[in-house]
Structures are given as C-alpha cells and as structure tokens.
Amino acid sequence: MSLRLAGRRLAISGTPSPVRPNSCSLSTTQIRTKWSVNIFKGWGKSGARDSPSSRTPQDATSELDDPKKRAAFLERNMHGSVSDNIFQDEIDAAKPSSAQDAPSLQQQEQKTRENMAMVTDPDPRSRIRWQRKKVIQMVRSNGAVSREDRIKATERQLLHRSHFMPTSLKKLVMLSRQIAGKPVDEAISQMQWSKKKMAAEVKYYLEEARDLAIAQRGMGLGKVNGEVFDKPRKILTRDGKWIQVEDPTRMYVAQSWVGRGPWRGKEIDYKGRGRMGVIKHPSTSFTVLLKEEKTRIREYEELEAKKTAKGPWVHLPNRRVHGQRPYYSW
C-alpha cells in the first residue's frame, strides 16, 4: 500500500532538520508583545552592539519597557529625532504651555473659523449671485412675495440622499416607513435597535443628515438661541397623532423614500430539467427630508383656521335643488 503525499510530507517534516550555519537560535515560546523581535530586523549595523542578532528577545523587551532606554533607542535608530512618532501630538499636548503658545492658539482658532466658513458658506460668489437674482425678482414683482417663497424664508429643511446600498427595494422600504414622521433622535434610536441588516446604514445616513442640517442650515439650535416655548404646545400631525412641542426647531423626518439603482451583477439560477434563470442583484438608495417643528405647527394652525372659516355644517342649505329624480338613486 503506497503512502499518501500528505503523510510523506508529515514524515519528512517530522525528521530533525540540520542546523544551518549563521542562524539565530531562539526560544520556542512566542512573544505576544507589541515590541516584538521582528520590528528590530534590519535596524542598526551588522556586528554592532545593539543589533538584534547579539541580543535575546527578553533583553529587547526589557529595554523597551524602560521609558528612558526606549527614548534613547528611538533617538538612536530614527536618525536622532522622534518626529515620526505616531504619539507625537499627544506628547506635545502634554507639555506645559508657555506664553509663546498664544500666537499658535490664535492661528488655530482662525483656522477653525475658516474651516467652519468653508462648510457653512462654501461658494460665496454663487450665494451673492443668487441673492442679487432674488432681489431683482422682488423688484419686478413690486415687492409681492409668494406663499412658497415666504415659507422657504421662514422655515428650513434639508434633503439628503445616500449612496446605492446592496439591498432590495422591498427590504429598505420597510425601514423607510418605520422612521417617517418621527423626530430624528427617535428615528436613530429605532435604527440602532433594529434587527435588520441595512438599519446600520440608515442610521449612519440619518446621523449624517442631522449633522449637515446643523452645520449648514442652522437647524435644531433652539435651546442654544433661546427659542424654546414657555409652555409646550399640543398639535395634531398628519398621521392623526397628538404631540407636544417644546422646541420649535426640533428636527423630524418629514419624508423618507427609497429609489431603485443599477443592478450590481447577475448570477445563474440553476433549475431542474436542464433549465436555468437569471438572478439580478439590486441596489437601492435612501432619501430623507428633514424639517423643523415650525412646519408642523404652521400646518396645524392652517388646518384649524380652515375649519373655523368653513362654519358649521348645514344639512339643507338655502339653495335650489337641481336634478331631481322620481326614483331613489340606489
């Protein structure tokens, strides 16, 4: 009976191998520290006092455990500087600040303002051009402002669309319906504890839309600007639910919908009797529209004003009756 190839390999590997010359004999125990012997490979000159071949792993580890020896080792092997250290920022931050650091702090604050200006107003020329165009339109219309323009000037909103996600439209539309009409924080909590696979992606895009709304449109800053109501207001939503609003700038998910994207690929679906089909892998996008509670308050007030102006319902108003028939309509 012939011996199998795997057994031959095992038999050959089981024989003791001859020791090669100029080989470094190490202990059989593994060193599971971040200062392993492998990082010293190639450091220093051959035959030097600090070369890895002239030390044991225990000596190297004990040397790097001492902070003074470690600093000396880094300065010696990193060309006399530790500027490439990944912890250099923390080391500099831990140093005591002096009076010379005041100009650097001012420069840092100025840089932060510039970065915020780039986010809030990325294209100033386009903004000025758009404002000039709107002023010209108002002058041409003799100062008359339409209802849509007045709403856009007083109420803020943000439309955010995600990338195409590797899921189907039927699966993602259930998550989209789950968060519609809810405040942003509550919608994020719903996605955080959901068992659906794409709930994590929807949660990420909700958080991204919330951050963009705060940074770009200034939404959700009622408590900071002092725009909170003294007493909470009770309003009726479109879904027929009564809610209490304390902060008129609180963001909520006004609309959320999904869109079909391109096919990600195809796969053969093998069937019986030599037949086959094609399985297409879909991709779907997720879009969310964030608004403030000011919008729902305005919609509720308009609905109440419409009911009040309509008057009481009258069974037979004082008007002529047309189209009488001598028989019942049913």
Side-chain angles (χ1 to χ4, degrees), residues 265-277:
K266 298 180 181 180
E267 185 180 353
I268 298 177
D269 184 16
Y270 296 99
K271 303 179 182 299
R273 298 185 179 182
R275 300 178 182 178
M276 64 180 62

Side-chain angles (χ1 to χ4, degrees), residues 110-289:
Q110 181 67 21
K111 188 176 181 181
T112 304
R113 291 197 200 96
E114 293 176 358
N115 293 339
M116 284 297 297
M118 290 175 61
V119 174
T120 56
D121 192 8
D123 195 354
R125 293 184 178 180
S126 299
R127 178 181 55 80
I128 294 172
R129 195 182 305 116
W130 179 81
Q131 291 177 352
R132 187 184 298 113
K133 179 181 177 182
K134 291 300 177 182
V135 170
I136 293 173
Q137 290 179 359
M138 291 178 63
V139 171
R140 287 178 178 176
S141 61
N142 198 14
V145 181
S146 62
R147 180 174 178 271
E148 290 77 10
D149 294 339
R150 185 170 61 255
I151 291 175
K152 289 181 181 179
T154 55
E155 300 174 5
R156 292 166 288 195
Q157 64 181 14
L158 178 76
L159 183 67
H160 187 58
R161 181 175 176 271
S162 68
H163 298 286
F164 290 111
M165 293 180 282
T167 183
S168 64
L169 188 139
K170 291 183 179 180
K171 295 177 182 178
L172 195 61
V173 74
M174 303 306 294
L175 297 176
S176 176
R177 291 176 179 177
Q178 184 179 354
I179 64 175
K182 290 183 173 61
V184 177
D185 298 335
E186 186 178 349
I188 292 173
S189 300
Q190 291 284 337
M191 295 297 102
Q192 182 178 1
W193 301 105
S194 178
K195 295 182 180 180
K196 300 294 184 180
K197 183 179 179 181
M198 285 294 120
E201 298 291 332
V202 175
K203 174 178 175 291
Y204 170 78
Y205 285 111
L206 280 175
E207 293 176 347
E208 188 177 22
R210 178 196 60 189
D211 298 342
L212 289 175
I214 295 173
Q216 295 182 357
R217 308 295 170 85
M219 300 169 61
L221 300 177
K223 294 183 179 180
V224 179
N225 298 330
E227 300 178 6
V228 184
F229 292 145
D230 297 335
K231 295 181 180 180
R233 299 187 58 178
K234 192 175 181 180
I235 62 174
L236 182 66
T237 61
R238 291 184 176 180
D239 302 335
K241 297 180 181 179
W242 290 93
I243 60 172
Q244 290 186 353
V245 179
E246 298 180 358
D247 185 4
T249 62
R250 184 182 65 173
M251 291 180 287
Y252 73 99
V253 181
Q255 299 179 23
S256 61
W257 64 91
V258 297
R260 193 186 303 275
W263 300 107
R264 293 182 291 114
K266 298 180 181 180
E267 185 180 353
I268 298 177
D269 184 16
Y270 296 99
K271 303 179 182 299
R273 298 185 179 182
R275 300 178 182 178
M276 64 180 62
V278 177
I279 300 176
K280 294 182 179 180
H281 300 284
S283 63
T284 313
S285 64
F286 169 74
T287 309
V288 62
L289 178 65

